[in-house]
């Protein structure tokens, strides 16, 4: 098939999923055309089946905000037409699904029919999408897509709850490339961070409020009272300053390091003992899956689709959102020497269920079904 993939190209789970999916499809022989405003993060190599089309956003003194949606729709029209695509797969509803709808209508006037598959990722539904300033357009463009998938059953449920959806939404979970995300031998790194064999806790996120990074630090503060431990915080975002101040107030700065935006997160995960994801909202939790693939147990909240990934008492623990006392107690259980290896082994076994090799055929079948039925 010739598939167009539209996504956000920079940091963020939906862009990572879209890029890895495109790479996986190209590997098994499909021709994949990325349409974005910037070269996607993990698409920095040559492959005969991968193409990149940059959206040209023209500014003009009249525009306070350049109309990206229109430039994107125009680019979709030309790529579909000249590259003869079979299908467009847009990741994240806003504004990709509505731009795709517009492109589809324009192409129809030229006798070209292009099926649109929209994948919902999370905040496009649970935070941004349901805001009245976007809701009518999101509802319309989901209903007008030829196929709609959500990355978890919970996200599908939330979509039906928030929007007036009149069509079927299928669940295709996120996936992991186990060749990249695997435990690597990084003993020197572990020794440098934990010279006295301290337990290493890790959190990665975009440091937005919904990630509840303060819970990570509070849990660490409590755990550290009972065992030697270190905390690595990977990523950056609006909450970073506040979190640095919290570390100072709690007096834990010597044992906490903010690493900023790291691309090779698997190297950090390779030496971690516990991954924390106490989010307020989380449709899937790709970062937790990446940790599990590196044999790291997950201590999470019960937000959104996380319990569909992290199995309570098996691959880690699942606690009520904001229950720091419970999170702390469960962290100590996981980190106890006699328990840790079992949790690590089971985390890896669970991650294998989300191997890209299992999930990619689901998308291929979904594309074929969509093309055949429209
Ligand atoms: O987590 C974020 O805020 C980024 C966001 C995105 O779209 O880039 O992530 C969402 O999509 C990921 C990939 O499907 C999911 O793994 C994340 O759980 C989801 N985030 C939220 O629902 C908050």
């Amino acid at each position: 098939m010739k598939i167009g993939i539209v996504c956000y190209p920079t940091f963020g789970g939906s862009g990572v999923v879209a890029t890895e999916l495109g790479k996986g499809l190209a590997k098994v022989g499909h021709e994949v055309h990325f349409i974005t405003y910037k070269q996607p993060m993990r698409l920095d190599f040559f492959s005969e089946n991968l193409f990149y089309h940059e959206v040209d956003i023209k500014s003009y003194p009249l525009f306070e905000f350049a109309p990206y949606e229109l430039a994107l729709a125009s680019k979709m029209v030309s790529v579909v037409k000249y590259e003869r695509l079979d299908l467009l797969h847009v990741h994240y509803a806003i504004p990709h699904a509505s731009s795709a709808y517009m492109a589809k209508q324009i192409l129809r006037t030229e006798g070209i029919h292009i099926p649109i598959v929209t994948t919902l990722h999370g905040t496009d539904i649970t935070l941004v999408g349901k805001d009245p300033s976007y809701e009518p357009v999101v509802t319309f463009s989901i209903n007008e897509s030829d196929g709609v998938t959500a990355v978890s059953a919970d996200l599908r449920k939330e979509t039906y709850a928030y929007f007036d959806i009149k069509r079927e939404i299928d669940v295709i979970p996120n996936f992991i490339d186990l060749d990249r995300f695997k435990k690597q031998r990084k003993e020197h790194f572990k020794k440098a961070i934990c010279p006295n064999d301290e337990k290493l806790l890790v959190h990665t996120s975009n440091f937005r409020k919904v990630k509840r990074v303060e819970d990570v630090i509070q849990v660490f503060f409590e755990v550290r009272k009972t065992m030697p431990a270190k905390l690595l915080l990977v990523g950056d975002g609006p909450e970073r300053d506040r979190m640095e101040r919290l570390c100072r107030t709690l007096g834990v700065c010597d044992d906490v390091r903010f690493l900023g935006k790291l691309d090779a997160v698997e190297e950090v995960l390779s030496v971690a003992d516990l991954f924390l994801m106490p989010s307020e909202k989380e449709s899937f939790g790709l970062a937790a899956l990446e940790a599990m693939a590196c044999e790291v147990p997950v201590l999470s909240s019960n937000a959104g689709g996380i319990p569909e990934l992290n199995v309570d008492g098996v691959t880690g623990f699942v606690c009520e959102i904001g229950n720091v006392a419970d999170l702390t107690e469960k962290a100590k259980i996981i980190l106890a020497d006699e328990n840790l290896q079992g949790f690590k082994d089971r985390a890896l076994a669970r991650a294998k269920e989300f191997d890209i090799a299992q999930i990619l055929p689901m998308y291929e079948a979904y594309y074929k079904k969509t093309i055949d039925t429209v």
Side-chain angles (χ1 to χ4, degrees):
M1 282 178 272
K2 289 184 169 197
I3 301 147
I5 291 190
V6 180
C7 63
Y8 284 105
T10 49
F11 278 96
S14 61
V16 169
V17 169
T19 310
E20 294 300 329
L21 175 63
K23 282 158 63 176
L25 290 164
K27 224 186 246 178
V28 297
H30 301 287
E31 193 176 294
V32 178
H33 293 258
F34 283 92
I35 306 172
T36 71
Y37 59 83
K38 200 171 166 188
Q39 182 96 358
M41 279 285 294
R42 296 185 184 179
L43 203 72
D44 50 358
F45 61 93
F46 172 76
S47 156
E48 58 181 0
N49 288 334
L50 286 174
F51 300 81
Y52 165 58
H53 306 268
E54 191 156 304
V55 179
D56 317 302
I57 314 158
K58 293 278 177 283
S59 62
Y60 183 68
L62 189 67
F63 301 152
E64 194 174 349
F65 309 102
Y68 177 64
E69 296 80 347
L70 304 189
L72 175 61
S74 297
K75 186 56 93 180
M76 287 184 197
V77 168
S78 74
V79 176
V80 168
K81 197 154 79 179
Y82 297 116
E83 302 292 347
R84 299 174 189 278
L85 299 190
D86 297 309
L87 178 132
L88 271 176
H89 185 181
V90 303
H91 290 260
Y92 207 88
I94 305 168
H96 302 150
S98 49
S99 293
Y101 173 78
M102 188 182 286
K104 185 183 167 109
Q105 298 314 312
I106 295 167
L107 287 159
R108 181 166 282 164
T109 65
E110 300 185 28
I112 298 170
H113 184 66
I114 183 79
I116 310 285
V117 170
T118 298
T119 289
L120 309 172
H121 279 274
T123 49
D124 47 350
I125 297 302
T126 56
L127 284 178
V128 198
K130 68 174 183 177
D131 189 279
S133 51
Y134 295 113
E135 182 278 321
V137 178
V138 173
T139 304
F140 178 80
S141 42
I142 291 175
N143 280 327
E144 289 295 323
S145 295
D146 300 297
V148 180
T149 71
V151 298
S152 64
D154 184 80
L155 183 59
R156 174 173 59 181
K157 193 182 86 204
E158 297 277 285
T159 309
Y160 283 124
Y162 291 143
F163 303 89
D164 184 18
I165 301 301
K166 305 204 182 312
R167 52 156 306 114
E168 193 57 43
I169 299 176
D170 289 71
V171 176
I172 302 184
N174 285 335
F175 52 82
I176 190 87
D177 176 358
L178 293 164
D179 286 335
R180 173 177 170 186
F181 285 92
K182 61 180 173 208
K183 194 177 176 74
Q184 301 171 6
R185 297 185 63 92
K186 295 277 169 194
E187 284 82 2
H188 59 290
F189 183 37
K190 176 86 186 231
K191 197 83 200 138
I193 304 164
C194 303
N196 301 311
D197 220 18
E198 294 91 340
K199 292 288 189 291
L200 184 60
L201 287 70
V202 172
H203 169 77
T204 73
S205 76
N206 52 19
F207 281 61
R208 298 196 178 274
K209 261 202 171 330
V210 286
K211 302 296 177 180
R212 296 191 66 94
V213 187
E214 69 270 32
D215 289 0
V216 172
I217 294 169
Q218 292 287 0
V219 169
F220 175 71
F221 174 67
E222 295 299 331
V223 167
R224 185 174 157 278
K225 287 179 184 166
T226 61
M227 64 180 87
K230 300 275 184 184
L231 172 64
L232 293 181
L233 295 162
V234 182
D236 213 332
E239 288 281 277
R240 162 101 179 242
D241 273 0
R242 201 168 72 83
M243 294 307 112
E244 285 183 344
R245 273 184 271 124
L246 177 61
C247 288
R248 277 179 228 128
T249 308
L250 296 174
V252 293
C253 294
D254 287 348
D255 293 323
V256 179
R257 275 181 76 164
F258 290 78
L259 297 179
K261 290 177 182 172
L262 273 190
D263 192 33
V265 67
E266 64 276 18
E267 294 184 1
V268 174
L269 294 170
S270 289
V271 295
D273 296 304
L274 181 61
F275 185 83
L276 293 107
M277 181 175 266
S279 309
E280 182 105 36
K281 291 195 183 298
E282 203 69 64
S283 66
F284 180 85
L286 186 63
L289 176 56
E290 291 176 348
M292 290 158 78
C294 295
E295 302 179 31
V296 188
V298 172
L299 179 62
S300 72
S301 70
N302 58 353
I306 307 177
E308 294 170 48
L309 170 68
N310 187 23
V311 186
D312 191 36
V314 177
T315 58
F317 285 105
V318 176
C319 306
E320 286 291 325
I321 298 168
N323 190 340
V324 170
D326 192 30
L327 284 162
T328 304
E329 190 191 314
K330 299 292 169 46
K332 290 180 195 166
I333 296 174
I334 297 171
L335 291 169
D337 286 333
E338 64 277 20
N339 296 336
L340 191 53
Q341 194 55 49
F343 277 105
K344 288 185 174 194
D345 294 344
R346 294 188 295 270
L348 175 61
R350 177 75 176 143
K352 285 181 178 167
E353 294 174 36
F354 296 86
D355 184 349
I356 187 167
Q358 318 271 348
I359 310 297
L360 194 99
M362 294 186 191
Y363 275 112
E364 287 178 289
Y366 196 77
Y367 294 160
K368 284 196 190 110
K369 186 178 92 178
T370 307
I371 291 169
D372 289 348
T373 51
V374 294

